[in-house]
Amino acid sequence: MSEEHYYLELCENPVQFENASSVNNVFFDEANKQVFAVRSGGATGVVVKGPEDKSSVAFRMDDKGEVKCIKFSIGNKILAVQRTPKSVDFINFIPDYPHLEFSQECKMKNASILGFCWTNWNEIVFITDQGIEFYQVLPDKRSLKLLKSQSINVNWYMYCPETAVILLSTTFQGNVLQPFAFKSGTMSKMSKFEIELPVVPKPAKLNLSERDIAVANIYGQLYVMYLKHHSRTTDSPCAEVILYQLPREGSCKKTNVLKLNTTGKFALNVVDNLVVVHHQSTQTSIIFDIKLREPDCALNVHQPVLPPRSIHPYRIPLTGIGCLTCSVCSSSVSGYQWYLQVKLPPTVNLLQDKGKLIDFLLRRRDCKMVILSVCSQMLNGEDKGSLPVVATVFDKLNQVFKEYLEAEQTYTVAMESGPSRGSTARERPVRTQAVIDQSDMYTHVLSSFTEKKDVSHKFIIAVLMEYIRSLNQVQITVQHYLYELVIKTLVHHSLFYMLHQFLQYHVLSDSKPLACLLLSLEGTYPAAHQLSLDMLKRLSTANDEIVEVLLSKQQVLGALRFIRSVGGNDNISARKFLDAALQTADQMLFYTIFRFFEQRNLRLRGSPSFNPGEHCEEHVVYFKQVFGEQALMKQATV
């Protein structure tokens, strides 16, 4: 199959263990994203690998029995190893600390340790069948201090490292879940909740299995995902994934239902805030985005975003036998382990609704260039979208852009005003790839689009104006280069009447760069000169530019009248005007301008003569040559 077929793939750098056949056990630590390969025999050899080679660690420890669980604390500072149901052993990996083991038994009598979770570099939770025990590890004393414990019957547990929340399965059927949250040495009991199990024919009873539960952080919220299998005797036997949102405070609530539209064995992943469901029998996967809602479905009931696809196979070169092709997720094959990732480019052709596609892409990590390619595709060729579709896409992009600008402005104001009492420190808003600004659109989409020969100029202008309208709608100042693109397009197609209309009715906002562009178009469109002057006058801060424009057109008297009308004649450069008058070769015009500045000098300084700093000596010489020295204005006598 072609590359465009797959939207899920295994990462390019799998975790690989050499001599995998000699590995006794492999453990995956989700919190640190580490894989432990344990080899026993005499001494126990351990190799720890993460997603990057530089995070690899290898060491040996005494063989004290079969390793049931092994994990590093955050930052690889302390290693915890469980070998028995009663205790956990610890080894310091902090520099300058003795590399010796110390041990901690669980406090509850007759309890068996089901597992443990690191919640900080020196804080650990034991989960037993009788409850949980929260400890602080004291590496310098090689001991542990009990911070808090809670007695409760436990069937199994789940841990979410991003939120440091542990979920305990309680009661006989296992469907009452009790969460606990951990933060900076504190343990908080959250509201317990019940998973609604499917109805089964009597007298059979159904227990909740940990295989059907997953805990994940999706869009910054903690969710418990329940894979619900319905009885084949029901009206809709297809499986579902039920999402329960678990807030830090308040009760847990059922929020989303993901329709799998089939039955069988499944596995769940969360990648880039997408719920990925793998179907074993068909070897395919589907993805759900809980922020996308189907218009024809009930609230928060979701269908797959994209059609089912298999994961892109990964080819492993093997010496002597060619390649081994693997398409397994989160499992080991021949000593390899992979991380799953989403490929965005193939989604562009699989999701036909452009508005829905943009909503989907805006929430993904590496989305910018894919979004820009969607915009280009939408404006070109056979996939050319209608103007309303184009407008919808622009509005969605500019809404995200506006929200970022507002967040940035709020942050800037807060920083300038300083911290207020009792307020928490503000974090600068992160500019994600979803922020598509005007320069991105201009560079990657619009500038090349205006040069297309196979697209009508009417559609080109309509698209440009739609983008400008969309920016104005969310009150984003339109950059002058977008207006320039409109003007150049209009001039290229000789649409001067439309250009005049756009300027007359201020569809194109006034700016100095725009006025300068209009001036440059005078040879092609003579009226552009006056349009430019009118624009500069409206700007009121462009007096110097107006004078320069008039002087360049040898309209010296016009420039002088303008500068007098705005009250700037006392500060203007005499030499600049005299130079311009001299270039016209009109002697009477030069006389008039020369006399004006003599009168100004007399009024301001009491003498008609020019100061040396004005550098008008050559103009005085020329005046004498043409009109005689007697024509110079005499200094007034009292």
Side-chain angles (χ1 to χ4, degrees):
M1 292 186 181
S2 67
E3 292 290 322
E4 295 180 356
H5 176 85
Y6 304 99
Y7 54 77
L8 289 168
E9 66 179 356
L10 305 173
C11 69
E12 292 185 359
N13 298 307
V15 177
Q16 177 188 3
F17 294 106
E18 297 176 358
N19 302 320
S21 59
S22 65
V23 174
N24 299 94
N25 282 304
V26 175
F27 301 92
F28 179 64
D29 177 14
E30 189 175 355
N32 287 323
K33 300 292 186 290
Q34 291 175 325
V35 182
F36 290 74
V38 180
R39 296 180 175 93
S40 59
T44 302
V46 181
V47 177
V48 187
K49 291 196 174 186
E52 298 178 1
D53 290 338
K54 63 182 180 181
S55 62
S56 297
V57 180
F59 56 90
R60 303 182 76 81
M61 57 187 184
D62 293 337
D63 192 347
K64 297 181 178 180
E66 182 187 354
V67 174
K68 298 181 181 299
C69 187
I70 182 169
K71 296 176 188 176
F72 268 119
S73 70
I74 297 168
N76 293 359
K77 294 182 183 297
I78 306 170
L79 180 72
V81 185
Q82 183 190 351
R83 297 183 176 97
T84 74
K86 296 293 183 183
S87 66
V88 177
D89 301 325
F90 296 88
I91 305 174
N92 283 329
F93 275 75
I94 302 171
D96 302 327
Y97 276 69
H99 194 72
L100 299 173
E101 286 194 22
F102 54 101
S103 186
Q104 176 67 48
E105 290 190 357
C106 60
K107 297 290 186 184
M108 298 175 188
K109 291 184 178 180
N110 302 320
S112 293
I113 299 174
L114 302 177
F116 59 86
C117 301
W118 287 102
T119 60
N120 205 333
W121 77 268
N122 66 339
E123 292 170 3
I124 193 169
V125 182
F126 290 2
I127 301 97
T128 74
D129 55 1
Q130 295 181 19
I132 57 175
E133 302 171 7
F134 183 34
Y135 291 96
Q136 181 183 20
V137 182
L138 307 171
D140 53 338
K141 298 179 180 179
R142 295 199 293 126
S143 64
L144 278 75
K145 174 185 176 183
L146 181 65
L147 299 176
K148 199 169 183 180
S149 63
Q150 176 80 43
S151 295
I152 184 172
N153 289 330
V154 180
N155 302 309
W156 45 264
Y157 73 96
M158 290 273 171
Y159 180 54
C160 180
E162 292 93 341
T163 56
V165 170
I166 293 177
L167 197 66
L168 305 180
S169 162
T170 67
T171 70
F172 176 73
Q173 286 187 282
N175 63 325
V176 175
L177 302 180
Q178 175 63 66
F180 289 87
F182 299 85
K183 186 178 182 180
S184 304
T186 62
M187 180 176 89
S188 307
K189 188 176 183 180
M190 300 165 69
S191 299
K192 67 180 178 182
F193 63 100
E194 183 175 345
I195 298 288
E196 182 184 338
L197 297 175
V199 177
V200 293
K202 292 182 179 181
K205 283 191 176 180
L206 190 66
N207 292 341
L208 182 64
S209 167
E210 60 187 301
R211 292 191 303 270
D212 295 331
I213 292 290
V215 186
N217 194 30
I218 307 173
Y219 291 118
Q221 299 292 328
L222 180 61
Y223 287 89
V224 175
M225 300 185 289
Y226 167 45
L227 183 55
K228 188 174 185 178
H229 299 273
H230 291 281
S231 169
R232 292 186 180 276
T233 59
T234 59
D235 294 335
S236 54
C238 294
E240 301 172 329
V241 177
I242 314 295
L243 268 62
Y244 295 82
Q245 189 178 338
L246 192 56
R248 286 277 177 175
E249 298 178 0
S251 58
C252 180
K253 55 186 178 182
K254 177 180 170 181
T255 55
N256 305 81
V257 178
L258 315 182
K259 294 288 189 179
L260 304 187
N261 304 319
T262 188
T263 58
K265 291 184 178 180
F266 302 92
L268 300 176
N269 283 103
V270 173
V271 182
D272 201 6
N273 291 312
L274 296 169
V275 180
V276 185
V277 184
H278 312 283
H279 189 221
Q280 188 181 61
S281 61
T282 61
Q283 295 270 303
T284 60
S285 304
I286 50 177
I287 60 176
F288 294 87
D289 185 346
I290 63 172
K291 287 203 172 181
L292 281 182
R293 295 197 176 109
E294 295 290 332
D296 55 346
C297 283
L299 184 66
N300 294 338
V301 175
H302 306 266
Q303 293 292 333
V305 177
L306 301 170
R309 290 286 188 271
S310 56
I311 297 171
H312 192 293
Y314 190 92
R315 295 177 66 81
I316 303 169
L318 297 178
T319 305
I321 60 171
C323 291
L324 174 66
T325 302
C326 303
S327 57
V328 183
C329 169
S330 297
S331 180
S332 61
V333 174
S334 301
Y336 287 80
Q337 293 229 348
W338 286 270
Y339 295 95
L340 186 67
Q341 56 193 25
V342 178
K343 290 173 62 178
L344 293 181
T347 67
V348 173
N349 296 322
L350 292 172
L351 198 52
Q352 298 304 315
D353 184 329
K354 288 293 185 285
K356 188 176 178 181
L357 174 62
I358 292 296
D359 286 338
F360 173 79
L361 292 173
L362 282 170
R363 301 188 184 103
R364 310 284 74 84
R365 271 194 301 266
D366 302 320
C367 64
K368 176 169 284 189
M369 296 314 297
V370 181
I371 289 174
L372 291 169
S373 73
V374 170
C375 292
S376 292
Q377 179 183 317
M378 178 180 65
L379 300 177
N380 298 313
E382 295 177 0
D383 294 327
K384 189 168 68 179
S386 66
L387 208 56
V389 172
V390 172
T392 298
V393 170
F394 287 162
D395 287 347
K396 289 178 183 293
L397 299 182
N398 287 327
Q399 184 58 42
V400 174
F401 184 25
K402 176 64 173 179
E403 288 168 4
Y404 168 75
L405 292 176
E406 287 178 341
E408 184 73 27
Q409 186 179 19
T410 302
Y411 172 81
T412 303
V413 170
M415 289 298 101
E416 288 174 351
S417 60
S420 57
R421 183 177 295 178
S423 66
T424 56
R426 282 185 177 271
E427 290 187 6
R428 187 175 196 127
V430 178
R431 183 178 182 130
T432 67
Q433 287 208 15
V435 178
I436 310 288
D437 62 21
Q438 296 175 68
S439 128
D440 294 325
M441 284 297 294
Y442 176 85
T443 304
H444 298 284
V445 180
L446 298 177
S447 58
S448 58
F449 169 62
T450 57
E451 297 171 2
K452 290 288 180 182
K453 306 295 184 186
D454 56 344
V455 181
S456 75
H457 64 266
K458 290 182 179 179
F459 184 66
I460 291 174
I461 293 163
V463 166
L464 294 175
M465 297 315 298
E466 268 303 327
Y467 187 62
I468 289 170
R469 173 209 59 79
S470 180
L471 290 167
N472 286 326
Q473 181 173 287
V474 289
Q475 298 177 319
I476 296 174
T477 302
V478 181
Q479 294 297 317
H480 66 84
Y481 49 75
L482 291 174
Y483 289 137
E484 289 176 11
L485 199 57
V486 174
I487 291 175
K488 287 177 180 177
T489 304
L490 291 170
V491 171
H492 178 72
H493 295 284
S494 301
L495 298 171
F496 301 118
Y497 175 75
M498 188 178 291
L499 171 59
H500 202 106
Q501 293 270 297
F502 281 177
L503 293 167
Q504 185 176 356
Y505 294 104
H506 308 296
V507 175
L508 308 177
S509 298
D510 296 343
S511 72
K512 290 181 183 179
L514 212 59
C516 292
L517 174 63
L518 286 170
L519 278 175
S520 70
L521 297 172
E522 185 182 5
T524 309
Y525 180 45
H529 173 70
Q530 190 58 47
L531 289 170
S532 170
L533 283 181
D534 293 342
M535 182 178 288
L536 289 169
K537 288 176 183 176
R538 288 194 298 271
L539 286 169
S540 73
T541 58
N543 295 339
D544 291 343
E545 285 83 355
I546 294 174
V547 169
E548 292 293 341
V549 169
L550 291 171
L551 291 179
S552 69
K553 300 296 179 184
Q554 298 191 338
Q555 297 179 24
V556 187
L557 280 177
L560 198 56
R561 290 192 199 98
F562 170 76
I563 208 69
R564 291 183 67 183
S565 71
V566 295
N569 50 302
D570 287 351
N571 301 313
I572 58 174
S573 164
R575 178 176 177 170
K576 179 185 291 187
F577 278 77
L578 290 169
D579 277 343
L582 203 57
Q583 289 172 8
T584 64
D586 184 336
Q587 293 180 345
M588 290 312 299
L589 174 63
F590 182 84
Y591 180 91
T592 303
I593 299 300
F594 191 92
R595 183 67 77 204
F596 168 83
F597 283 105
E598 280 187 319
Q599 291 171 346
R600 186 188 74 166
N601 295 341
L602 184 63
R603 176 170 52 83
L604 294 178
R605 299 195 295 268
S607 169
S609 301
F610 292 94
N611 283 338
E614 293 181 275
H615 305 292
C616 293
E617 293 82 1
E618 61 182 285
H619 304 95
V620 173
V621 171
Y622 176 78
F623 186 88
K624 290 178 182 178
Q625 289 174 349
V626 176
F627 303 105
E629 189 169 347
Q630 70 280 2
L632 290 171
M633 183 180 287
K634 303 295 187 289
Q635 185 168 343
T637 55
V638 179

